[in-house]
Amino acid sequence: MLCFQGGSRWKERRTMPENLVVVGAGQAGSELATTLRQRGWSGGITLVGDELSPPYQRPPLSKGFLLGKLSRQQLYLKPAATYERFNIALRLGTWAEAIDRAVKELVVSDGSRLPYDRLVLATGGRARRLTLPGVDMDQLDNLFTLRRIDDVDALRPQFVPGRKLVLIGGGYVGLEIAAVATQLGLEVTVVEAAERLLARVTGQEVSGFLEDVHRSHGVRFRLAATVTDVAVDASGRRVTGVEVSASGVMDRLDADLVLVGIGMEPNTGLASAAGLQVDNGIVVDEFARTSGADILAIGDCANQPSVYAGRRIRLESAPNAIEHAKVAAATILGQPQASTATPWFWSEQYDLKLQMVGLSAGHDRCITRGGTGTTLSAFYLTGDRVVAADVISRPGDFATARQLVTSGRPVDPERLADCEIPLAQAAL
């Protein structure tokens, strides 16, 4: 049984200023640091990040930044002056090697040791890599993943009109990259192991709609197909093709470059080595506290209880990173307050704006509005309640859908399906 270090010791306000060290200089870590300062916390704050860039937004990497519509500086979450004004120390280009819980110090790659009173793990995740016998991704110059600014810097010069791009993975990131590559003139083929796109996170209606949109822009799909091997040139450094198997039939897709977009894995090694409980992420309670005294975890790396889901979940999203940082800030301030937020996500593909609220897994049925042209709203019901919704380029529907999901109010399915009736009037 997990026993969280908590109780009154977390609620005490110590008389001397505390020293906070945050491992991870991403959305969650930056939000936590600035929130604490805005709420008057006077202790020392140090953000340790293994990238040289200051904290930045990750979602635009596969959208506007890859397309060239956003500059590097536009990705930054805060101006450098903000960290200076708030007296937040940035230790960039270094990484945490170990947590010495006995003396409450973080061992850093440059040989230094950072003492802490509170330690927050906002370690995020890393791109899941392609695992094939005899294939070493690090030895192939044109086989990529996309998770960091440096990944885009390496990938963008390869996006030359007319080149053949094979995308492995038909999730949101893969589809966003497919949209960008197509707009830049590449020939794109998406290989997806499931029988339809986005099978884990959305319904057939939305999968089919998005597939049609991408096909209309020239994207090719190989669904229910498994990558079995990659072919390389005589130098052994460049991929020339991808071998796929579908229904027992082998085929080869020629490729000038290959991008692997098969999800991410939480960075839990530091926590695990320190003896913290790990299970599909760093296990925390409703106040972001880990199983170790004075250590919290937030964001993509954290496995947390969800009031909405009624179970533990690990969410990979910027909205969750921001929400979870606020939970941790309240805990550090001695005012612990659990989150009741409903998960939501967003994506951009071509001119489409996709907004998702809730988790659709386990729904009884799906009711749609629209579905013609470039708009669609899909509502996932369990009984007579909307538990999740996927909304494409219908912002008014999304605002109402969030209210329906959050409130749990019952709805009339016939009214919900009738585009002539305002969505808000579908609630009983």
Side-chain angles (χ1 to χ4, degrees):
M1 178 181 295
L2 174 64
C3 179
F4 288 100
Q5 303 291 332
S8 61
R9 69 183 301 172
W10 281 89
K11 297 180 182 179
E12 293 174 358
R13 299 295 292 130
R14 302 179 184 180
T15 57
M16 296 294 292
E18 296 185 35
N19 191 38
L20 173 70
V21 176
V22 183
V23 183
Q27 183 102 49
S30 174
E31 185 71 21
L32 171 62
T34 54
T35 297
L36 284 171
R37 287 294 189 243
Q38 289 165 348
R39 295 185 61 179
W41 199 76
S42 60
I45 300 178
T46 301
L47 296 185
V48 178
D50 62 356
E51 297 185 66
L52 292 173
S53 297
Y56 62 87
Q57 307 171 69
R58 292 193 191 276
L61 293 181
S62 55
K63 308 176 185 70
F65 186 61
L66 180 59
L67 191 57
K69 289 186 175 181
L70 293 176
S71 69
R72 197 181 189 95
Q73 288 69 31
Q74 287 175 299
L75 294 181
Y76 295 160
L77 291 165
K78 301 284 190 302
T82 299
Y83 300 103
E84 295 175 4
R85 185 173 75 253
F86 282 164
N87 192 24
I88 298 170
L90 298 180
R91 294 282 297 267
L92 303 177
T94 61
W95 57 93
E97 292 190 330
I99 302 169
D100 190 335
R101 292 171 59 186
V103 295
K104 299 183 72 170
E105 290 181 345
L106 182 74
V107 182
V108 186
S109 60
D110 61 7
S112 62
R113 297 173 71 95
L114 302 179
Y116 66 84
D117 295 296
R118 305 286 179 94
L119 178 68
V120 178
L121 304 180
T123 50
R126 61 194 180 278
R128 184 172 283 112
R129 295 165 66 85
L130 192 65
T131 54
L132 292 171
V135 176
D136 184 350
M137 291 186 61
D138 295 330
Q139 300 300 315
L140 297 170
D141 296 333
N142 59 340
L143 182 61
F144 300 91
T145 59
L146 196 158
R147 174 70 183 172
R148 300 150 67 106
I149 283 183
D150 291 347
D151 295 333
V152 180
D153 289 342
L155 181 63
R156 190 183 285 135
Q158 303 289 332
F159 273 33
V160 176
R163 284 188 175 177
K164 293 180 172 63
L165 167 65
V166 173
L167 267 164
I168 303 173
Y172 280 116
V173 171
L175 294 180
E176 290 166 0
I177 296 169
V180 170
T182 300
Q183 292 175 79
L184 294 178
L186 282 75
E187 298 180 22
V188 181
T189 301
V190 176
V191 180
E192 169 56 43
E195 294 183 353
R196 59 182 178 86
L197 303 174
L198 304 168
R200 293 187 301 107
V201 296
T202 195
Q204 175 65 56
E205 296 80 1
V206 174
S207 295
F209 180 90
L210 291 175
E211 182 180 341
D212 289 344
V213 169
H214 279 274
R215 286 189 184 277
S216 72
H217 285 83
V219 178
R220 302 179 180 90
F221 291 97
R222 294 297 180 91
L223 303 177
T226 303
V227 175
T228 59
D229 201 0
V230 295
V232 298
D233 65 6
S235 71
R237 300 288 305 182
R238 294 189 64 82
V239 176
T240 59
V242 175
E243 308 288 341
V244 299
S245 173
S247 300
V249 178
M250 304 296 295
D251 192 13
R252 172 185 163 128
L253 305 175
D254 291 336
D256 296 303
L257 63 154
V258 177
L259 196 145
V260 180
I262 52 177
M264 61 153 275
E265 297 175 320
N267 288 326
T268 60
L270 185 68
S272 182
L276 303 181
Q277 182 166 353
V278 170
D279 182 9
N280 183 31
I282 304 169
V283 178
V284 299
D285 68 3
E286 66 270 33
F287 305 120
R289 303 177 301 196
T290 72
S291 57
D294 295 319
I295 304 177
L296 299 86
I298 57 176
D300 291 356
C301 69
N303 182 323
Q304 58 185 299
S306 167
V307 173
Y308 158 80
R311 57 182 174 85
R312 286 189 163 278
I313 57 177
R314 186 176 62 79
L315 294 174
E316 301 167 8
S317 74
N320 175 68
I322 294 170
E323 177 69 18
H324 214 191
K326 292 177 180 177
V327 171
T331 298
I332 292 168
L333 290 165
Q335 305 161 359
Q337 184 173 358
S339 172
T340 59
T342 301
W344 70 278
F345 315 85
W346 62 279
S347 176
E348 291 176 354
Q349 297 167 35
Y350 309 107
D351 295 327
L352 304 182
K353 176 76 171 183
L354 290 75
Q355 296 170 290
M356 297 74 73
V357 60
L359 304 172
S360 61
H363 67 278
D364 298 333
R365 56 177 164 167
C366 177
I367 294 176
T368 61
R369 286 188 173 213
T372 59
T374 57
T375 68
L376 174 70
S377 294
F379 304 92
Y380 303 98
L381 277 69
T382 296
D384 59 359
R385 286 171 169 76
V386 180
V387 296
D390 294 331
V391 179
I392 301 174
S393 301
R394 297 170 70 101
D397 278 10
F398 182 69
T400 305
R402 287 188 71 172
Q403 295 174 0
L404 292 174
V405 173
T406 301
S407 69
R409 293 177 60 187
V411 297
D412 182 333
E414 292 186 2
R415 289 185 180 183
L416 190 64
D418 191 341
C419 291
E420 300 300 319
I421 298 176
L423 183 57
Q425 294 182 17
L428 297 175

